[in-house]
Amino acid sequence: MPVENGIGAAVRRKEDQRFITGNGNYLDDMNKVGQAYGYFLRSPHAHAKINGINLDAAKAAPGVVDIFTGADMAADGIGGLICGWGITSKDGSPHNAPPHNSMAIDAVRHVGDQVAFVIADSLQQAKDAAELIDVDYAELPPVTDISRALSGGAPQIHEEAPGNVCYDWELGDKDAVDAAFASAAKVSKIDLVNNRLSPNPMEPRAALGEFDPGSEELTLYTTSQNPHVARLIMSAFLAIAPENKLRVVAPDVGGGFGSKIFVYAEETVTVWAARKINRPVKWTADRSEAFMTDAHGRDHVTHAELAMDDEGHILGFRVSTKANLGAYLSTFASAVPTYLYGTLLNGQYKIPSIYVEVLAGFTNTTPVDAYRGAGRPEATYVVERMMETAARDLNMDPTEFRMKNFIQPDAYPYETPVIMTYDSGDYPANMNAAKGLIDYAGFAARKAQSEANGKIRGIGCAAYIEACGIAPSAAVGSLGAGVGLWESAEVRFNPTGSVTVFTGSHSHGQGHETTFAQIIADKLGVPIESVEVVHGDTDKVPFGMGTYGSRSLAVGGSAIVKAVDKIVEKSKKIAAHLMEAAVEDIEHEHGVFSVAGTDKQMTMGEIAFAAYVPHNYPEDLEPGMAENAFYDPLNFTFPAGTHIAEVEIDPNTGVVDIVDWAASDDFGNIVNPMIVEGQVHGGVAQGIGQAMLEGVVYDDESGQLLTGSYMDYCMPRADDLPSFKIDTTGTVCPSNPLGVKGCGEAGAIAAPAALMNAITNALGKDIDMPATPEKVWRAANA
Amino acid sequence: MTTVTMTVNGKNVSADVAPNTLLVDFIRNNLRLTGTHVGCDTSQCGACTVHVDGDSIKSCTMLAVQAEGADVTTIEGLAANGDLHPMQASFKENHGLQCGFCTPGMIMSAVDLVKRHPNPSEETIRSELEGNICRCTGYHNIVKSVKAASEKMGG
Ligand code: FES
Ligand code: FES
């Protein structure tokens, strides 16, 4: 019998009440007594040596509390920011990891690099004082384009990275791929640029540091997707404070999309400075700072080739990519173009051999790291643009070409040549469902109709796969990860029957307060109104690895299930004692414990009460009803599906109208279908943004950021987008107890390839993202 | 410093502010009504949208002193006696929000939109909300929320 508000129900979100009434608690909404305000003086140059910084006039300005530079932090023994994933190059050498100071010490390497932190009684005073700082810069020539940076003779950005190379990495069997190409009847080739993006969560990053001289505890309130990881890094590598004296709190966070995973300079400086001045200090980014300093995403240049036999079966796949990592290595930057990218180049297909090489380098640009999908959108873009090109070269319907090469539903577990073991899926089913939703068969008639109206119509699909539920700790450890990627949970009954769930996952829009409560409602029969989900505070939650890589439900949710299992096990013992039966005879369903074959039963609430008032209680059993669990996943999960876009282009203006969008996704079991659909909508919108609107642009000569505000960086707005037809066709994930796969990134992974396949189908020629009206018009009228 | 006086959410408020104080900063910092958000510095995102004398405006485009004597409503003042405004209820019912950061501005814009277009088409809703950026929802459910609310609001 389904439980009210249990697993599978489209429960309206518990968290919404505070957000729709203006009662959310975002970081900049918080203020502490006696708080000062911080402001960063940032480099106006893309590349320069710093010969000196004169703070005298600024320090004397009204309201100034203190001003710090990188030298002050170094003198205090504070270390630099780290990259948590070691990549080994082809020649066996570790990746080049140049120092990454929170504030510049002798050089600046991108526009917006931190130079000094000015603290004053008011923000205006801090800004005014910053203008009085005299920095003696010696400008150096910059490079922002990755191909030029790696081409030899380009400006050298770090001493520790000769030729601006971070690593030269490979994966797969090169000889096997060479042999496949040698025997191929047909080879298709493609060159692609994956444009650089700015994540742009609507809440700008912010930090508030506070020091308690009595307890010597330092607290950092911050806009983070993973506060425990932030605490770990700040403690272990930066020596800001020992973990037991450092509390990191991420309150309501207004979107992240990956950009709030990383430990940023501004957070470390703010919390360190709070102790220095023994006074709370708050820093809030404005949007211009966000454009300059929130880690960017993507920025790849790729050449790919596909070998096929004469019937269109794929024989081998060869990919060569240059990845721009920006000026410094951000927290997980090294992993994104390697283990989150190369490992997904198998797509949904039977590909006997794959070889990928990635040359990653430094430029005078904002650091690049994980952004919604992280590596997997880049992989899908390469695979799905490649499949489309191959089908066109063969004169085959692109969906038929894919169907022909799909891994079949009975082939699991399926080992790919790029070290992944797919566990479940039904790719043909998703493809067929998406084709049905968009009436693929009727496209030719619609195209003719458009033509009659002087428009060009195109259709294109992307059959994507991603690896989510990140990740089995031993597996990622063997690939260079510096951390384990399990999750923790505590399920705590209060004596009166309400429940508090502590989770290491962090919600910044995903609706965990509802989804996780549904799991408790389903498994333990507690009404969701009586379930409180606590997250985002290192003092409250035992530990946590945070939210990214569509992992919260598959990993965090599984930890909750494990804790629930312990609750049930203990409850059975109590129920057996109170109902005078054998433990083996106690049956449990949705929070009701009954004695098999009798009408005797007790509710979870009664048992929890008995556990806290243990007057009549089993001997040798601890009182109380609270259980902790850690869950380390057995495998990645593999959400997959097909998205199809249909566009109509006006050749007179180059404007692309997305006339239809259909998706069939396999997310495994679904806890809250309403939330899942919303995640797909948002992901698709970001993918459409990448394909048609967005792109970070630098002037390669001056290194200046040309897209530094919403006047220049084109965000998707309501009138740029269509409504979407979203459907799910699930195969149960065998590797976690909920059978779930994750849904947060799918849309952003599938959409760019689907849309570009549609646009290039309409145009009959290739163009790069973003497909702006100008580019489309030129292609249509060339 | 200049003294400004206005009505905010039905209450008379008065404070001494620097003449260059933006209305949004007055609302957030002086009145501590933090439901009105700041999402940009170029008046593009709409997170700061409030009603001034019944019309929606981006409160980062206006000085506090320009609102002297005005009747201002923020998201905190939209619900009447604890009852959600139909637009608020509709956003919840139709999953029109995820992280919630754009939501107060989005709701304030949407209320004004429906006032001006009592029975808006999807196209009207999309073009009218062009000044409010949401990064989470892809707008699909925002459009749905506004449409459903417009029906409840007696359009
Ligand atoms: S803060 Fe007012 S429009 Fe962005
Ligand atoms: S709900 Fe997050 S920006 Fe709109």
Side-chain angles (χ1 to χ4, degrees):
Chain A
M1 203 187 66
V3 176
E4 199 189 351
N5 297 327
I7 291 173
V11 179
R12 300 305 183 261
R13 301 198 323 170
K14 285 162 61 88
E15 44 271 84
D16 285 358
Q17 186 66 23
R18 66 178 186 272
F19 295 138
I20 57 179
T21 53
N23 289 306
N25 183 33
Y26 301 93
L27 208 131
D28 191 55
D29 302 342
M30 302 175 72
N31 294 291
K32 298 289 171 186
V33 177
Q35 165 185 303
Y37 295 81
Y39 178 77
F40 282 94
L41 178 71
R42 297 182 179 281
S43 170
H45 305 296
H47 197 191
K49 275 203 86 57
I50 295 180
N51 292 325
I53 304 176
N54 186 335
L55 301 174
D56 295 348
K59 279 195 173 172
V64 170
V65 179
D66 212 336
I67 304 179
F68 298 110
T69 65
D72 297 319
M73 287 188 96
D76 225 21
I78 304 298
L81 299 166
I82 58 134
C83 175
W85 199 306
I87 298 297
T88 306
S89 282
K90 286 172 183 170
D91 64 5
S93 60
H95 76 249
N96 293 320
H100 183 183
N101 298 311
S102 292
M103 290 192 282
I105 291 187
D106 49 8
V108 286
R109 295 182 178 85
H110 68 92
V111 170
D113 217 351
Q114 295 74 226
V115 174
F117 190 50
V118 184
I119 305 170
D121 292 331
S122 78
L123 181 59
Q124 195 53 52
Q125 288 170 327
K127 286 183 180 179
D128 290 346
E131 284 191 22
L132 302 174
I133 297 175
D134 186 12
V135 186
D136 180 4
Y137 292 107
E139 277 188 71
L140 297 167
V143 58
T144 62
D145 177 79
I146 187 61
S147 297
R148 189 164 77 84
L150 294 171
S151 64
Q156 177 69 40
I157 298 169
H158 294 280
E159 244 171 66
E160 300 79 2
N164 298 321
V165 173
C166 181
Y167 52 76
D168 182 7
W169 175 84
E170 65 180 348
L171 182 68
D173 187 339
K174 188 172 192 298
D175 294 341
V177 171
D178 288 347
F181 275 82
S183 73
K186 177 80 199 158
V187 172
S188 283
K189 301 181 181 184
I190 194 163
D191 285 288
L192 298 167
V193 174
N194 202 294
N195 44 330
R196 178 184 279 244
L197 303 175
S198 174
N200 274 299
M202 292 316 297
E203 180 205 21
R205 286 190 296 118
L208 170 54
E210 188 179 27
F211 180 61
D212 178 341
S215 66
E216 292 191 330
E217 195 181 66
L218 199 52
T219 303
L220 170 65
Y221 301 89
T222 182
T223 47
S224 173
Q225 301 179 211
N226 45 351
H228 283 91
V229 177
R231 183 182 68 163
L232 173 66
I233 290 175
M234 287 189 199
S235 178
F237 296 95
L238 283 86
I240 297 263
E243 266 182 297
N244 58 323
K245 292 291 184 193
L246 182 59
R247 176 181 175 204
V248 179
V249 183
D252 285 331
V253 173
F257 317 113
S259 71
K260 292 171 181 170
I261 297 172
F262 323 118
V263 176
Y264 284 95
E266 293 88 348
E267 299 168 294
T268 64
V269 173
T270 301
V271 69
W272 168 78
R275 178 157 58 193
K276 290 300 274 188
I277 64 169
N278 194 12
R279 184 174 162 185
V281 54
K282 180 161 92 171
W283 166 80
T284 305
D286 57 32
R287 185 57 59 183
S288 307
E289 286 180 289
F291 274 108
M292 287 189 289
T293 63
D294 287 6
H296 291 167
R298 322 289 191 245
D299 205 342
H300 285 193
V301 180
T302 294
H303 175 77
E305 303 181 349
L306 194 71
M308 291 160 284
D309 68 13
D310 52 7
E311 290 174 344
H313 295 110
I314 300 169
L315 302 175
F317 190 28
R318 185 190 271 156
V319 178
S320 171
T321 293
K322 291 192 191 98
N324 192 342
L325 299 176
Y328 305 99
L329 272 183
S330 174
T331 316
F332 291 107
S334 56
V336 177
T338 50
Y339 289 107
L340 294 176
Y341 168 70
T343 53
L344 274 305
L345 287 170
N346 188 82
Q348 300 187 355
Y349 309 100
K350 289 175 283 188
I351 307 182
S353 59
I354 299 175
Y355 176 72
V356 51
E357 50 190 350
V358 178
L359 188 60
F362 297 102
T363 59
N364 295 111
T365 61
T366 299
V368 177
D369 206 325
Y371 165 59
R372 200 168 194 169
R376 293 151 292 168
E378 294 92 315
T380 296
Y381 192 64
V382 172
V383 173
E384 289 304 289
R385 294 285 292 118
M386 183 80 257
M387 295 304 151
E388 198 77 10
T389 303
R392 288 173 193 171
D393 288 350
L394 296 171
N395 249 327
M396 264 177 91
D397 176 281
T399 63
E400 289 309 313
F401 176 74
R402 287 177 172 85
M403 280 290 197
K404 183 178 223 140
N405 286 288
F406 275 154
I407 295 164
Q408 293 304 304
D410 59 1
Y412 302 100
Y414 184 90
E415 252 179 75
T416 75
V418 276
I419 65 170
M420 284 290 179
T421 305
Y422 296 171
D423 59 2
S424 59
D426 188 343
Y427 310 144
N430 289 118
M431 171 65 84
N432 286 329
K435 284 173 78 172
L437 277 177
I438 207 160
D439 181 23
Y440 191 81
F443 173 72
R446 296 193 295 274
K447 187 176 171 70
Q449 185 60 48
S450 294
E451 233 167 71
N453 298 333
K455 305 271 177 73
I456 342 175
R457 208 171 183 97
I459 196 162
C461 73
Y464 72 95
I465 190 156
E466 43 172 338
C468 296
I470 292 171
S473 296
V476 292
S478 73
L479 302 178
V483 287
L485 289 170
W486 39 263
E487 197 46 89
S488 87
E490 180 178 331
V491 175
R492 186 191 296 171
F493 268 86
N494 302 308
T496 50
S498 62
V499 173
T500 310
V501 177
F502 300 85
T503 171
S505 297
H506 183 272
S507 184
H508 32 282
Q510 295 88 342
H512 296 169
E513 289 168 40
T514 306
T515 304
F516 291 168
Q518 285 179 253
I519 296 175
I520 301 295
D522 197 283
K523 304 250 175 220
L524 297 175
V526 181
I528 58 165
E529 302 74 41
S530 304
V531 182
E532 206 58 39
V533 175
V534 175
H535 65 91
D537 184 340
T538 59
D539 265 12
K540 291 183 180 164
V541 176
F543 210 93
M545 297 312 294
T547 287
Y548 39 82
S550 306
R551 70 192 300 273
S552 296
L553 189 57
V555 189
S558 294
I560 293 172
V561 172
K562 273 192 74 175
V564 163
D565 288 346
K566 293 184 187 175
I567 294 267
V568 169
E569 202 184 320
K570 182 169 186 175
S571 296
K572 280 186 174 174
K573 291 181 188 157
I574 300 169
H577 176 85
L578 292 175
M579 294 191 284
E580 296 173 341
V583 175
E584 305 74 54
D585 291 336
I586 302 294
E587 290 174 345
H588 168 247
E589 208 181 5
H590 307 309
V592 177
F593 295 81
S594 49
V595 181
T598 74
D599 60 358
K600 282 203 238 173
Q601 61 177 45
M602 291 186 74
T603 65
M604 186 66 235
E606 292 168 324
I607 294 169
F609 186 78
Y612 285 104
V613 189
H615 296 162
N616 176 12
Y617 202 69
E619 267 177 50
D620 306 329
L621 192 66
E622 289 176 18
M625 191 57 80
E627 295 289 350
N628 241 308
F630 284 68
Y631 176 78
D632 202 329
L634 304 170
N635 190 0
F636 294 88
T637 63
F638 296 96
T642 293
H643 285 226
I644 307 182
E646 191 166 324
V647 299
E648 192 178 61
I649 295 172
D650 183 341
N652 295 318
T653 60
V655 170
V656 177
D657 184 15
I658 302 171
V659 290
D660 209 352
W661 194 283
S664 172
D665 297 296
D666 178 356
F667 298 134
N669 289 336
I670 286 172
V671 174
N672 186 322
M674 177 192 80
I675 289 178
V676 166
E677 259 192 43
Q679 289 292 311
V680 177
H681 295 157
V684 169
Q686 287 180 356
I688 291 175
Q690 166 162 36
M692 277 185 29
L693 307 166
E694 300 177 41
V696 173
V697 181
Y698 285 93
D699 176 41
D700 194 39
E701 209 164 297
S702 65
Q704 290 298 317
L705 175 64
L706 302 181
T707 48
S709 82
Y710 288 146
M711 312 288 276
D712 318 290
Y713 187 90
C714 189
M715 292 284 281
R717 294 168 188 260
D719 59 352
D720 294 314
L721 300 173
S723 286
F724 311 108
K725 294 175 188 160
I726 308 291
D727 195 15
T728 51
T729 317
T731 56
V732 176
C733 178
S735 65
N736 64 63
L738 286 164
V740 299
K741 299 187 179 182
C743 66
E745 297 160 296
I749 291 172
L755 187 50
M756 290 309 288
N757 284 341
I759 292 172
T760 55
N761 170 254
L763 291 172
K765 64 185 73 152
D766 285 347
I767 56 170
D768 276 319
M769 301 187 289
T772 57
E774 186 199 339
K775 262 193 227 168
V776 173
W777 181 84
R778 282 182 196 283
N781 292 282
Chain B
M1 288 290 185
T2 320
T3 306
V4 286
T5 306
M6 63 186 89
T7 308
V8 177
N9 300 335
K11 261 193 245 147
N12 232 5
V13 296
S14 185
D16 291 336
V17 299
N20 62 353
T21 302
L22 297 172
L23 178 59
V24 66
D25 292 329
F26 176 73
I27 290 170
R28 285 183 58 80
N29 300 339
N30 292 77
L31 305 182
R32 293 280 187 242
L33 292 171
T34 54
T36 302
H37 296 152
V38 177
C40 74
D41 44 15
T42 52
S43 297
Q44 293 278 309
C45 76
C48 61
T49 307
V50 300
H51 294 171
V52 175
D53 293 330
D55 296 327
S56 74
I57 63 124
K58 293 177 174 177
S59 61
C60 73
T61 62
M62 193 171 175
L63 297 170
V65 293
Q66 291 176 293
E68 174 69 30
D71 187 2
V72 175
T73 307
T74 70
I75 189 70
E76 290 92 342
L78 199 56
N81 312 318
D83 287 338
L84 291 178
H85 185 281
M87 190 62 73
Q88 291 171 307
S90 189
F91 268 67
K92 176 170 182 174
E93 179 59 27
N94 294 288
H95 192 29
L97 63 150
Q98 290 181 22
C99 79
F101 194 80
C102 73
T103 310
M106 201 62 87
I107 289 176
M108 297 311 278
S109 290
V111 168
D112 188 42
L113 181 176
V114 174
K115 189 185 84 189
R116 288 179 292 108
H117 304 274
N119 212 335
S121 65
E122 169 166 353
E123 203 184 336
T124 303
I125 296 170
R126 286 186 181 275
S127 83
E128 284 285 324
L129 289 181
E130 187 264 352
N132 290 74
I133 303 178
C134 173
R135 191 55 151 171
C136 296
T137 63
Y139 305 101
H140 181 115
N141 286 341
I142 289 177
V143 172
K144 220 167 121 184
S145 304
V146 176
K147 184 81 195 135
S150 73
E151 282 153 20
K152 292 240 165 69
M153 286 160 72

